[in-house]
Amino acid sequence: MAAIGAKRLAVIGAGMVGVCAASWLQRDGHSVFLIEASAPGRGASLGNAGCFNGSSVTPVAMPGVIRNVPRWLFDPLGPLSLRWSYLPAIAPWLLRFARAGTPEKVRAQARALRPLVGPSLEALKPLVSAAGAEHLVHRLGHLYVYRSAAGPEKDRLAWDLRRENGVQVEEFDADELRQLEPALSRDFVRGLLVRENGHTSDPLALVERLVEHFLRSGGELVHAEARGFRLESRRLAAIDTSAGELPADAAIVCGGAYSKPLAAVLGDKVPLETERGYHLMVRDPEVMPHIPTADADGKFVATPMDTGLRFAGTVELAGLAAPPDWRRARILLELGRRMLPGLAASYPQERISVWMGHRPSLPDSLPVIGPSRATPDVIYAFGHGHVGMTAAPMTGKLVTDLVAGRRPAIDIAPFTARRFA
Ligand SMILES: Cc1cc2nc3c(=O)[nH]c(=O)nc-3n(C[C@H](O)[C@H](O)[C@H](O)COP(=O)(O)OP(=O)(O)OC[C@H]3O[C@@H](n4cnc5c(N)ncnc54)[C@H](O)[C@@H]3O)c2cc1C
């Protein structure tokens, strides 16, 4: 029998954010169905670096970052690339991005992000335990490595923001780094370790296990594309999908980088873009770091996964439709060899795999979480950019509070869609 106040709820999108939202809503007593156009976990949640970094409070648009852009763009191994034909389309987003990067604004963004990402592992734990997926989630820390002793000083503001928001950081010199992670190149002479951080050793398997448990607990998965909403007097009547109208009392939009049109039909113009990212995996690698390790200058992460060693990162601005540029993935192997010289000089095709995915990114590095303009029954939960795996469990709890009419556990005002009006 349904609990009093239980509703029939639709969650649009079965990525990490959608499945966490669906799971928390289900635990609150609702009857929940996921609407997924593809297959669960096959979007950005598949190929990311797998890090649950509660310390990820630093926005992408940090002060001065724009000054690095020309150097990055002209370096073939650089962390950023742009398809020039896409420049006119992305120019308004870039303008907002540049404006978001003032010292005052990034301090406010970091303060807003910390309560969303900090409790990630605690908020994920009940879902993972119920799904029997504990073996996929690890709390071993996250290491950032630098090639010069002065490196961390260059990133001073980022480290200040982390520390100001309660992140504990341990520093290591070259010898200590060697003991901590013997596989690392001797070029690295400084390491900063954040022990509170965790990771998953298989992001896709994690989403799939969570979805399986959701289905075993009475949830449904509808294979369809959501296209719009039918409202009656500002209340949601049904979701318009490729499989017809699906009645629901409320809907949560978790469509990742594809959420923009669904917000637009409800009158919310959200400057959602995709920061495309790549990964390259080496099966049976000769060496692996023991914990996720970020090359702070190269801006990529090496994560030990159940299926091999994953190098993930880089940003490509080219929109949702352009085909992948696999050179962007292959440079990760070159960068990875510089990080871990014990890797082989070449690999047969069957030991290498590559992937491209769409980070759903807002220019101020904050997601959109909260009710739509047109109706309180459609709630947004998208745009988590570089930290969607980490922010998903708390996002799920927040939308569950909103559906129940409870005051959310943290301040969600910074995440409103109206901040772009
Ligand atoms: C290279 C790279 C590395 C990253 N590393 C990390 C990391 O280490 N830690 C971290 O926290 N984050 C990381 N991220 C970011 C993270 O992967 C994303 O923020 C996160 O996966 C977004 O999750 P999501 O559920 O919002 O979107 P997605 O996983 O993309 O899921 C959205 C789902 O919605 C479906 N959908 C969309 N529109 C519709 C519709 N209209 N109808 C039906 N279904 C729809 C899609 O098919 C998709 O399955 C990384 C990203 C990249 C690219």
Side-chain angles (χ1 to χ4, degrees), residues 68-82 84 278 298 300 313-316 325-335 338:
N68 293 323
V69 167
R71 181 169 54 85
W72 284 340
L73 286 180
F74 290 104
D75 175 359
L77 296 181
L80 175 68
S81 80
L82 166 72
W84 292 102
Y278 290 81
F300 69 94
T314 82
V315 169
E316 181 186 45
D325 174 357
W326 293 123
R327 286 173 306 182
R328 299 293 304 161
R330 282 194 290 271
I331 62 169
L332 287 166
L333 182 55
E334 198 169 331
L335 294 168
R338 290 182 192 178

Side-chain angles (χ1 to χ4, degrees), residues 116-191:
L116 184 67
V117 295
S120 177
L121 289 168
E122 283 68 33
L124 182 62
K125 198 169 177 194
L127 308 185
V128 162
S129 305
E134 290 99 334
H135 61 291
L136 297 172
V137 179
H138 318 274
R139 189 174 213 155
L140 300 171
H142 188 101
L143 182 65
Y144 301 78
V145 290
Y146 288 90
R147 286 188 171 78
S148 88
E153 189 53 34
K154 269 196 301 157
D155 290 343
R156 171 83 181 267
L157 178 57
W159 289 109
D160 282 353
L161 289 177
R162 294 184 183 105
R163 289 188 172 105
E164 283 166 17
N165 284 283
V167 175
Q168 309 265 331
V169 182
E170 287 169 51
E171 299 203 30
F172 295 86
D173 65 19
D175 288 341
E176 293 163 336
L177 199 52
R178 213 96 307 123
Q179 285 166 35
L180 196 68
E181 218 36 286
L184 278 176
S185 158
R186 289 177 180 267
D187 291 347
F188 293 105
V189 295
R190 275 287 179 283

Side-chain angles (χ1 to χ4, degrees), residues 12-18 35-53 224-227 254-259 262 275-279 301 312-314 355 357-360 381-391:
I12 301 169
M16 186 64 180
V17 175
I35 305 175
E36 171 55 55
S38 163
R42 301 277 162 168
S45 301
L46 189 160
N48 53 72
C51 303
F52 292 110
N53 283 354
E225 183 192 348
R227 292 173 176 161
C254 306
Y258 299 89
S259 305
L262 290 172
E275 286 179 77
R276 297 148 57 111
Y278 290 81
H279 88 211
V301 182
T314 82
W355 169 88
H358 294 285
R359 294 184 191 90
F382 62 83
H384 296 75
H386 291 238
V387 297
M389 295 298 287
T390 310

